[in-house]
Amino acid sequence: MERVLSVAQPPSVSRVKPFHFTSQRVLFYPCISISMDHRHFNSSLRLRPHQSNSIHAAATVPVSGESVEHTLKIKEWEAGMLREEIAVSQGITIRRRPPTEPPSNYEGPFEFQIQNGPAAPCNVLEEIIWFKDVEVSQFKEKVSLDALKQAVGNAPPTKDFPGALRAAYQRTGFPGLIAEVKKASPSRGILRKDFNPVEIAKAYERGGAACLSVLTDEKFFQGSFENLEAIRNAGVQCPLLCKEFVVDAWQIYYARLKGADAVLLIAGVLTDQDIKYMLKICKELGLAALVEVHDEREMDRMLEIEGIELIGINNRDLGTFAVDISNTRKLLNERRIDLLNRRDIIVVAESGLFTPTDISFVQEAGVKAVLVGESLVKQTDPAEGIANLFGKDISISA
């Protein structure tokens, strides 16, 4: 007889409502549904949404003879295992955290399941994501989510990020520019030694940028949330994208508090349910979300999700860091362009854009915005660099 049980996606423990099923306690909360025909999972998992269109998941947590602490460890470990199963089913290859052994004396649905992949990160993006998982946990110990929510309630209104891109496209006839404030990258090292984020931001705005992207990752890109806050407080009028590797809702609230008008969500890292949940939070906070894709499967996944306003096509393979701007054209076939236009989604081309020819190439492919960092931030005068990138002066004063 088939049983549908529940496995964890990480809400607070206080929200978990136990439901007794024979000798086991079953913990229910939003995620995905898994069918089980015995106490342990089969080698092939069947995932399905409930008829209500809300998604739930199930995992059993044995409690007989277990301490509360050990029970919570089991719950958290099973939640991680299920999260990886869901990600794999959606074609996501980036693992959210390093593989770990089950808690001692573990008996449960994942008892005989072997974790896939090496103990070390498979590529730079996976290394970043693993670090973020630890970093965010440390941040949350210092500033609780409840404290952030209270502080955000007093934050000033956000600026219209998509609206600024549309206005720039109509004004110039070129894709709206998101100019990136970036000091370094894992693949290129230091891009600008005399790095003054506020002065660079002002130069971008003077040169005609519609919006700005600010790197906030410190370890890999030498950015910071302090840079984001400093630019916001310096009187820069361009809407600001917080360029962070988001793995937790806490980061979205923190970005809003520091002055962001938009955040980045990476489809190659986040499951469909993660994206939907974070889009909901963004809407509540007045933030735009730039949802980044790298391949056709990610693009098609995101086109199935309602509420997306901005899709970024990254021409850089975040596994190898190889760049190919033809990736933009590859992902924008006739069917997808028709769907994007009907839903009024702005497509942003990202990475590998250095010349007016590059801009023309992605514009002809169908994009209405571009995100450019390296080719601008390395210029002595970033405002002049914008004119060189587009082949003409696109500043408001032009």
Side-chain angles (χ1 to χ4, degrees):
M1 178 178 179
E2 186 182 76
R3 296 183 293 166
V4 178
L5 303 183
S6 216
V7 180
Q9 176 156 324
S12 62
V13 176
S14 61
R15 290 176 55 202
V16 176
K17 297 180 179 180
F19 171 83
H20 292 280
F21 187 90
T22 63
S23 62
Q24 294 176 315
R25 180 176 296 170
V26 184
L27 307 176
F28 286 94
Y29 33 91
C31 196
I32 201 160
S33 177
I34 296 218
S35 296
M36 300 170 60
D37 61 5
H38 199 262
R39 182 179 179 186
H40 306 297
F41 280 127
N42 291 333
S43 58
S44 60
L45 296 180
R46 287 174 288 159
L47 311 180
R48 70 171 186 267
H50 285 266
Q51 291 181 351
S52 65
N53 292 325
S54 63
I55 304 250
H56 295 79
T60 57
V61 179
V63 294
S64 176
E66 300 281 353
S67 68
V68 172
E69 181 179 358
H70 187 64
T71 300
L72 289 175
K73 286 182 179 179
I74 291 174
K75 180 180 74 69
E76 290 171 359
W77 185 81
E78 288 188 332
M81 290 292 289
L82 179 65
R83 185 183 294 110
E84 295 299 333
E85 293 287 354
I86 295 169
V88 169
S89 75
Q90 295 176 4
I92 298 171
T93 60
I94 299 298
R95 297 171 295 170
R96 290 283 286 272
R97 53 181 57 85
T100 57
E101 294 297 322
S104 60
N105 302 316
Y106 173 73
E107 293 183 3
F110 294 101
E111 187 173 353
F112 300 109
Q113 187 161 327
I114 299 175
Q115 296 199 53
N116 296 322
C122 294
N123 52 50
V124 174
L125 179 57
E126 192 165 84
E127 181 182 2
I128 293 172
I129 296 305
W130 288 9
F131 176 77
K132 286 295 166 186
D133 186 59
V134 175
E135 182 182 60
V136 173
S137 295
Q138 294 171 346
F139 285 159
K140 290 165 79 172
E141 290 179 358
K142 298 176 182 178
V143 182
S144 70
L145 182 58
D146 286 340
L148 277 184
K149 288 181 178 180
Q150 185 174 359
V152 163
N154 298 320
T158 55
K159 298 179 184 297
D160 185 355
F161 195 95
L165 293 176
R166 290 191 176 95
Y169 181 79
Q170 293 172 357
R171 178 177 64 82
T172 66
F174 289 105
L177 172 63
I178 307 170
E180 191 154 84
V181 181
K182 177 167 67 173
K183 181 177 181 178
S185 76
S187 61
R188 300 289 188 179
I190 299 293
L191 299 175
R192 189 183 183 103
K193 291 183 179 180
D194 59 331
F195 184 77
N196 184 319
V198 171
E199 291 305 313
I200 292 170
K202 289 181 176 180
Y204 283 158
E205 186 170 55
R206 188 171 64 251
C211 302
L212 305 182
S213 168
V214 184
L215 263 296
T216 54
D217 172 76
E218 185 171 351
K219 179 177 180 179
F220 298 91
F221 291 85
Q222 298 190 32
S224 70
F225 280 98
E226 286 69 32
N227 289 347
L228 176 66
E229 188 174 34
I231 293 170
R232 178 83 298 155
N233 293 337
V236 173
Q237 296 303 305
C238 289
L240 304 181
L241 168 71
C242 175
K243 189 74 172 293
E244 174 64 300
F245 295 84
V246 174
V247 296
D248 191 284
W250 187 95
Q251 294 163 287
I252 300 176
Y253 284 95
Y254 195 64
R256 175 70 175 90
L257 184 63
K258 293 297 183 177
D261 303 294
V263 295
L264 178 72
L265 303 177
I266 302 177
V269 171
L270 302 170
T271 66
D272 295 354
Q273 282 305 110
D274 288 332
I275 297 285
K276 292 174 184 177
Y277 172 60
M278 292 178 179
L279 285 174
K280 181 179 178 181
I281 292 174
C282 286
K283 185 175 181 179
E284 291 173 353
L285 296 178
L287 292 169
L290 175 60
V291 182
E292 183 175 281
V293 302
H294 304 83
D295 58 35
E296 292 180 281
R297 182 167 185 178
E298 290 176 6
M299 173 66 92
D300 290 334
R301 279 176 50 213
M302 294 305 101
L303 288 176
E304 292 293 323
I305 296 176
E306 294 296 327
I308 292 178
E309 294 182 277
L310 299 161
I311 291 182
I313 298 177
N314 198 332
N315 297 311
R316 186 186 306 279
D317 184 316
L318 293 185
T320 66
F321 279 81
V323 177
D324 180 5
I325 65 171
S326 67
N327 190 49
T328 294
R329 177 174 288 175
K330 178 182 178 182
L331 270 58
L332 293 178
N333 60 25
E334 185 176 349
R335 176 185 65 83
R336 295 190 185 107
I337 288 178
D338 179 63
L339 183 56
L340 289 161
N341 288 338
R342 283 191 283 114
R343 292 177 56 185
D344 199 25
I345 296 174
I346 299 174
V347 179
V348 183
E350 306 172 12
S351 301
L353 305 175
F354 292 89
T355 68
T357 301
D358 295 335
I359 298 297
S360 296
F361 178 84
V362 295
Q363 185 171 8
E364 290 171 3
V367 310
K368 293 187 177 179
V370 292
L371 191 155
V372 184
E374 180 182 344
S375 65
L376 298 179
V377 78
K378 294 172 74 173
Q379 303 297 318
T380 303
D381 181 0
E384 184 178 339
I386 291 174
N388 293 334
L389 174 66
F390 286 87
K392 65 173 294 186
D393 185 353
I394 64 166
S395 65
I396 294 177
S397 60

